[in-house]
């Protein structure tokens, strides 16, 4: 482990837990667990106490990438309306209008490419 430690997990003490069993679960020395959590008496562990589980910053879980909304392109054809396009693709009418702020929803031009955000 490097010299830099961070809380890589938080463990809540439950009935039957000891510092030894918690340290063993996370493969840590009991002395490190005590030091990081400012525990002076290892025999006075209280149920419900939240313990910082120390580790190297590289052990932190990687943040999840926010999922990007899927967007398709729809080319306006004769007879299309925004309502029909939304219904055809299972999209929301408001989402289509927000994704295409420059269009006139009452005067769709044939051949115009619309961005359609999918749910």
């Amino acid at each position: 482990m490097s010299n830099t430690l961070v809380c890589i997990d938080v463990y809540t003490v439950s009935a039957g837990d000891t510092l030894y069993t918690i340290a063993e679960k996370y493969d840590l020395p009991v002395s490190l667990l005590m030091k990081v959590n400012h525990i002076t008496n290892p025999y006075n562990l209280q149920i419900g106490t939240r313990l910082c589980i120390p580790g190297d910053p590289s052990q932190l879980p990687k943040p999840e990438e926010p999922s990007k909304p899927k967007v398709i392109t729809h080319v306006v054809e004769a007879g299309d309306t925004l309502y029909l396009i939304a219904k055809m693709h299972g999209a929301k009418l408001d989402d289509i209008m927000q994704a295409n702020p420059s269009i006139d929803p009452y005067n769709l031009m044939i051949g115009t490419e619309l961005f359609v955000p999918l749910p």
Side-chain angles (χ1 to χ4, degrees):
M1 253 186 245
S2 72
N3 292 336
T4 305
L5 293 176
V6 295
C7 286
I8 59 169
D9 198 3
V10 175
Y11 183 83
T12 304
V13 177
S14 55
D17 281 340
T18 66
L19 278 181
Y20 177 79
T21 58
I22 297 166
E24 191 176 60
K25 176 180 179 175
Y26 289 97
D27 194 25
L28 295 168
V30 173
S31 59
L32 178 61
L33 199 53
M34 288 177 64
K35 182 179 179 182
V36 168
N37 289 285
H38 310 289
I39 296 172
T40 54
N41 182 352
Y43 304 105
N44 192 22
L45 201 54
Q46 301 294 314
I47 293 172
T49 300
R50 294 168 48 101
L51 299 176
C52 166
I53 304 301
D56 190 90
S58 67
Q59 295 174 285
L60 287 170
K62 303 292 181 235
E64 290 185 24
E65 291 286 324
S67 60
K68 294 182 180 178
K70 292 185 179 184
V71 177
I72 61 166
T73 303
H74 177 92
V75 179
V76 176
E77 298 175 359
D80 277 352
T81 65
L82 281 186
Y83 174 77
L84 290 175
I85 294 168
K87 190 173 178 181
M88 181 186 318
H89 297 291
K92 293 182 181 173
L93 190 58
D94 286 345
D95 291 346
I96 295 174
M97 290 175 67
Q98 286 180 4
N100 301 278
S102 63
I103 63 158
D104 178 355
Y106 302 105
N107 189 22
L108 292 180
M109 306 300 284
I110 294 173
T112 302
E113 288 188 358
L114 298 177
F115 297 111
V116 181
L118 300 178

